[in-house]
Amino acid sequence: MGYSDPPWVFTGDALYQLSLVRVEEARKYVPPNIPLVNFLGYTLGGFYLARYSDSPAGSFDELVALAGLAWNFPTSCAWAARVYVNNAEARNHGIGVVGLPSRLASFKAVRKPSSCKGKMQHSSKSSSSIDAGLDWWSSAGGRRDTKNQGGAEWVEIRNREARRIPILQRITSGLKRVCGIQSNASITKGLKEPVCAIQIPRLQPQWGPVIQLSLPSYSGGTPACPDLLKYSLRMLTKIRFIKPLKIHMEDDKSGSNSMEALGTVLGGKPLLCMSFEKMNIQVEAPEYLEIK
């Protein structure tokens, strides 16, 4: 177990939702020298929520908050504003090797969000595809989550980085070892309120072909990894389209950490949602990204 030489293999299930995000809000999380795809002042953001049954760090959960669609001719890909994981080894690998803005987080199935006074993002009025079928959170990634047998309808994500935390040399040294890229020490920050709560879909078993996808990814431009990086990702999975899911965001009552409160990114108008089932993902080591 552990992140040895790439490719790094991940298996599990995921939900991928795309939404419209204002370019000026997305720009806060994307390096200034990375162009964003712009549709009349909007770009494509959203979220990727995964439950991994196996990985170099074992089983864990992940939420990627997607700020917008980055463009570097001839390729575009989603840019991660934040990556939340409930596994310290995965968090350290994301920061030190892949150049991601990773945060240690908790994922909890709940009947309703902690507070319903914040902003609520609504899906279609019809919820038949969500109400019927198997509870996705309890069964995704091969899990049998007995804690959610009480009928929880949301998964609540909390940022558990409680204070400024120096990125230790043992974390950032992995970046230099794997791909020869130098990294500097940095900090990460927490958030008092939950990041968000995402509606748990209920899906009927459904047959579908296995599809292979080759997805380029960009990262870097963080305090821990100032250089821009690119890495390739190959995925085998079954894909189905489902109704967009509701997202509940808490207000940052303290106002002290607005960059960690992602309401402007996660609260965009949803366009579509996909379920990735029985994923097998291979991720290669990052390389320097040259902006064209």
Side-chain angles (χ1 to χ4, degrees), residues 10-42:
F10 300 77
T11 59
D13 299 281
L15 301 170
Y16 186 23
Q17 182 154 303
L18 292 175
S19 59
L20 292 176
V21 177
R22 289 190 176 276
V23 168
E24 62 266 25
E25 297 297 336
R27 177 53 66 191
K28 297 175 183 178
Y29 298 93
V30 181
N33 53 339
I34 292 280
L36 284 169
V37 175
N38 189 331
F39 302 97
L40 300 175
Y42 289 88

Side-chain angles (χ1 to χ4, degrees), residues 27-286:
R27 177 53 66 191
K28 297 175 183 178
Y29 298 93
V30 181
N33 53 339
I34 292 280
L36 284 169
V37 175
N38 189 331
F39 302 97
L40 300 175
Y42 289 88
T43 187
L44 283 177
F47 69 82
Y48 167 87
L49 176 65
R51 303 208 83 184
Y52 297 117
S53 56
D54 194 20
S55 78
S59 62
F60 69 93
D61 303 316
E62 178 181 54
L63 171 68
V64 183
L66 303 170
L69 198 61
W71 171 254
N72 187 43
F73 182 83
T75 303
S76 63
C77 65
W79 186 275
R82 292 290 183 270
V83 178
Y84 299 98
V85 293
N86 55 358
N87 181 292
E89 186 178 4
R91 186 274 308 268
N92 295 349
H93 177 82
I95 294 173
V97 177
V98 192
L100 291 169
S102 298
R103 303 287 188 266
L104 195 62
S106 65
F107 295 71
K108 183 180 179 181
V110 296
R111 285 185 175 272
K112 65 178 182 179
S114 296
S115 170
C116 292
K117 296 180 180 179
K119 183 179 180 182
M120 182 77 77
Q121 180 198 80
H122 292 281
S123 64
S124 170
K125 292 182 180 179
S126 174
S127 59
S128 58
S129 67
I130 293 172
D131 296 336
L134 299 175
D135 170 5
W136 182 87
W137 183 255
S138 297
S139 59
R143 312 288 181 87
R144 292 294 180 267
D145 192 348
T146 57
K147 294 181 180 180
N148 194 22
Q149 291 182 348
E153 298 179 1
W154 301 81
V155 55
E156 188 172 76
I157 297 93
R158 287 182 175 268
N159 182 341
R160 291 302 186 186
E161 303 285 8
R163 60 186 182 278
R164 291 174 179 252
I165 303 175
I167 295 180
L168 303 178
Q169 185 62 34
R170 67 180 177 84
I171 300 175
T172 57
S173 63
L175 190 60
K176 186 175 182 180
R177 176 181 62 82
V178 173
C179 51
I181 297 172
Q182 184 62 48
S183 177
N184 300 316
S186 181
I187 58 172
T188 54
K189 295 182 178 180
L191 184 68
K192 181 179 179 181
E193 291 80 18
V195 175
C196 68
I198 299 176
Q199 184 183 28
I200 298 174
R202 295 181 177 274
L203 304 176
Q204 295 284 2
Q206 177 177 303
W207 180 89
V210 176
I211 298 173
Q212 180 171 323
L213 303 173
S214 295
L215 304 173
S217 296
Y218 300 153
S219 59
T222 64
C225 178
D227 294 304
L228 297 177
L229 308 177
K230 63 178 180 180
Y231 56 97
S232 63
L233 181 154
R234 294 191 301 276
M235 176 191 295
L236 286 173
T237 187
K238 294 197 303 181
I239 299 178
R240 73 161 106 174
F241 291 90
I242 64 175
K243 292 184 181 297
L245 303 175
K246 297 177 183 178
I247 304 179
H248 175 78
M249 277 80 59
E250 296 278 350
D251 296 325
D252 182 15
K253 300 179 181 64
S254 65
S256 60
N257 206 354
S258 59
M259 289 297 288
E260 297 298 329
L262 300 176
T264 57
V265 171
L266 292 172
K269 179 178 177 56
L271 298 178
L272 62 89
C273 186
M274 293 174 284
S275 169
F276 294 165
E277 301 172 7
K278 297 183 179 179
M279 299 185 302
N280 182 288
I281 303 172
Q282 294 190 30
V283 181
E284 298 291 345

